[in-house]
Amino acid sequence: MTRAPNLENVSTKQRRIAMLAAESPQMAFTSLNHYLDIPWLREAFRRTRKDGAPGVDGKTWSDYEQNLEGNLQSLLDRAKSGTYRAPPVRRVHIPKGGSTTETRPIGIPTIEDKVLQRGVAMILEAVYQWDFHDCSYGFRRGRSAHQALEDLRNQAIGIRVEWILDVDVQKFFDTLDHGHLRELLQLRVRDGVLLRLIGKWLHAGVLEGGVLSHPASGTPQGGVISPVLANVYLHYVLDQWFHNDVLPRLRDRAMLIRYADDFVIGFSNEQDARRVLEVLPKRFGKYGLMIHPQKTRLVSFQKPRGGKRPPRDQRPGTFDFLGFTHYWGLSRKGYWVIKVKTASSRFTRAVRAISEWCQRNRHRPVAEQHQALCHKLRGHFSYYGITGNSLALSRFRHEVTRQWYKWLRRRNSRQPAWSWFKRLLERYPLPPPVAIHSKYRVAKS
């Protein structure tokens, strides 16, 4: 199967940018906007999600696509001439983690803004492709959260990690400093068109509840350009600093795994871990960021001795990363290995979401409910279906079954018996838990 000419053209350009960046790691690009043309924006439109909510202008994807070529030409002309005006993003709030009170702000740009942001992001991704360290996994093509988890496990075992620094950056996307971001960007990108566009997006403003505000810092989560800018910011603030300044000064080995603003640092030496814990808030404070004093903690993660479980007060600690709790456990052969299970906060949040959905949709036809619940279960398994997490997957399927039964009973009290529901499950079975990301399946293949 041959690739589409448009995609081949854009991919060739991206490789060209990446090669130039790799050949001159200290060079700042002064001319990049010529890559931003109609084929590039067409590919940006193709890569942008089509099921997103509309922005402040209310335009849908179908509206924009009716005259796609004309809209893209107009967008390109305004971007190049400097007359493009970045509209404010529409802000909504979603629950954060398992909390029912703490929320995370999400910015929803307009369709046109998403396309142009995607186009600029594609250029930045090519520039920084070889600059970013291997420890960085978030929002990078060809890298995933599951690869980060696997790398974490392998490195923790390989360098015999005994201490984990579990770090929480307080409201990173809301406090990212615009001045520092511009300075860091200009180390590699000095193209006036691109920098002007990024500046407009940073100062576009936020529309929330009919009130327009212009935050002096931060980049709205949900914006297409935000993950790339976050990676650039933390590349210099954390990754580069850790590899160039921290590692050479440590007594023993250490490792860093980062996914966007979520990261952990592992150490073989306790004194090294405490030194980094002491200096980390100062490093982040220098760039306008704050390490959460309560949520950031140093975890004793020593591998247990012998083949028996130690007493509860002597067991190593655990830590959460990317939705999983990491802990030491015995394998089937009696060896101590690092295991993972669904973090309790994520599990509780997922069950609560299923319960609320079943309550809202209990009067829909059973066949429709069954189809939707199967889709939700498979989606859960596609992320949390990892080797060693089978118990949590089975528990989740059990909770989904229980919530479905509970809310079906509420709509039909004349059929409350469990035997009736068992017959219904025979007709509408829920998918079994599957370890989608099984290392045994990978090894076998």
Side-chain angles (χ1 to χ4, degrees):
M1 181 178 179
T2 58
R3 305 174 75 185
N6 178 55
L7 179 57
E8 186 68 39
N9 182 31
V10 172
S11 298
T12 302
K13 291 179 180 179
Q14 286 185 301
R15 285 196 295 270
R16 189 179 303 138
I17 297 171
M19 287 177 60
L20 289 172
E23 291 171 357
S24 306
Q26 305 300 323
M27 181 184 71
F29 288 85
T30 57
S31 179
L32 287 167
N33 72 84
H34 61 278
Y35 291 103
L36 199 64
D37 54 16
I38 292 300
W40 192 280
L41 288 181
R42 195 183 297 122
E43 175 61 16
F45 178 83
R46 189 190 69 83
R47 293 188 186 184
T48 306
R49 286 179 54 185
K50 306 300 186 294
D51 57 349
V56 294
D57 61 356
K59 287 186 178 180
T60 64
W61 283 104
S62 57
D63 295 336
Y64 197 79
E65 200 170 15
Q66 286 179 2
N67 183 25
L68 180 61
E69 294 302 312
N71 288 331
L72 292 181
Q73 186 63 60
S74 171
L75 178 61
L76 181 64
D77 292 342
R78 285 177 283 135
K80 293 291 186 75
S81 65
T83 58
Y84 178 78
R85 297 185 62 183
V89 297
R90 182 168 65 89
R91 174 172 285 181
V92 297
H93 292 263
I94 63 172
K96 182 178 181 181
S99 173
T100 56
T101 57
E102 192 174 2
T103 60
R104 184 191 304 274
I106 296 294
I108 304 176
T110 63
I111 294 168
E112 194 169 61
D113 225 19
K114 290 178 182 179
V115 173
L116 188 54
Q117 285 189 28
R118 176 68 67 189
V120 173
M122 287 160 54
I123 295 177
L124 295 180
E125 287 167 356
V127 170
Y128 290 98
Q129 178 178 339
W130 300 111
D131 287 9
F132 289 157
H133 290 270
D134 289 339
C135 66
S136 171
Y137 284 89
F139 306 107
R140 295 180 61 188
R141 291 178 67 83
R143 288 176 163 247
S144 69
H146 295 98
Q147 290 175 331
L149 292 167
E150 183 69 13
D151 192 15
L152 170 60
R153 188 187 71 86
N154 291 338
Q155 287 201 58
I157 294 174
I159 69 172
R160 297 184 179 181
V161 164
E162 295 194 349
W163 295 88
I164 291 288
L165 185 53
D166 184 8
V167 184
D168 183 274
V169 183
Q170 193 166 354
K171 296 185 177 180
F172 169 74
F173 284 93
D174 292 335
T175 58
L176 187 147
D177 184 85
H178 293 172
H180 286 304
L181 176 60
R182 282 192 292 268
E183 292 175 2
L184 296 176
L185 275 172
Q186 289 179 22
L187 294 175
R188 278 304 242 166
V189 178
R190 294 181 186 171
D191 183 289
V193 173
L194 300 188
L195 292 178
R196 184 169 59 241
L197 286 172
I198 293 172
K200 288 181 178 182
W201 288 321
L202 292 176
H203 296 95
V206 175
L207 185 64
E208 183 177 1
V211 178
L212 179 63
S213 61
H214 293 82
S217 61
T219 174
Q221 288 178 289
V224 178
I225 197 71
S226 296
V228 184
L229 298 180
N231 271 339
V232 172
Y233 204 83
L234 288 175
H235 165 71
Y236 291 107
V237 174
L238 176 63
D239 305 350
Q240 197 90 309
W241 169 74
F242 179 78
H243 286 89
N244 294 349
D245 299 335
V246 175
L247 281 179
R249 291 177 170 83
L250 299 182
R251 293 187 173 186
D252 212 330
R253 292 178 294 179
M255 48 154 276
L256 165 68
I257 300 293
R258 180 176 67 82
Y259 192 95
D261 63 325
D262 194 4
F263 67 93
V264 293
I265 310 177
F267 301 88
S268 300
N269 183 282
E270 180 182 0
Q271 188 174 350
D272 287 340
R274 296 195 179 278
R275 287 172 59 198
V276 174
L277 176 59
E278 181 181 355
V279 74
L280 196 63
K282 301 175 185 177
R283 172 65 181 181
F284 274 65
K286 180 181 177 180
Y287 290 90
L289 301 174
M290 181 178 292
I291 300 297
H292 200 296
Q294 282 76 43
K295 296 181 180 180
T296 299
R297 61 197 185 102
L298 186 61
V299 180
S300 173
F301 201 66
Q302 291 95 338
K303 179 181 177 180
R305 309 296 181 187
K308 294 183 179 180
R309 293 184 181 277
R312 184 174 295 274
D313 59 341
Q314 298 178 18
R315 293 177 186 175
T318 66
F319 65 96
D320 290 352
F321 183 61
L322 298 181
F324 292 91
T325 297
H326 300 251
Y327 65 100
W328 282 102
L330 285 170
S331 69
R332 293 179 180 179
K333 295 183 178 181
Y335 300 113
W336 286 105
V337 296
I338 297 176
K339 293 187 173 183
V340 296
K341 61 182 178 181
T342 307
S344 59
S345 61
R346 296 292 187 93
F347 187 91
T348 301
R349 181 176 66 180
V351 171
R352 184 185 298 117
I354 289 290
S355 178
E356 292 173 354
W357 186 91
C358 289
Q359 179 183 9
R360 291 194 307 269
N361 297 274
R362 64 185 183 275
H363 295 298
R364 291 173 59 182
V366 171
E368 290 184 14
Q369 293 187 46
H370 171 256
Q371 184 179 16
L373 288 174
C374 287
H375 179 73
K376 293 178 183 295
L377 273 168
R378 293 190 183 100
H380 186 88
F381 298 155
S382 69
Y383 185 77
Y384 293 101
I386 195 170
T387 302
N389 197 31
S390 57
L391 181 60
L393 298 181
S394 298
R395 282 182 54 222
F396 183 71
R397 183 180 184 273
H398 171 76
E399 287 297 328
V400 171
T401 304
R402 195 172 69 87
Q403 294 298 328
W404 196 21
Y405 173 55
K406 169 186 173 180
W407 291 108
L408 283 179
R409 283 188 65 188
R410 296 287 181 93
R411 82 170 190 177
N412 190 354
S413 58
R414 290 177 297 177
Q415 297 280 8
W418 177 255
S419 57
W420 162 80
F421 187 66
K422 284 184 66 177
R423 291 193 299 271
L424 184 140
L425 285 177
E426 291 174 359
R427 184 177 179 183
Y428 299 104
L430 294 174
V434 179
I436 303 295
H437 306 278
S438 170
K439 60 183 179 182
Y440 302 113
R441 184 183 295 115
V442 172
K444 185 178 180 180
S445 63

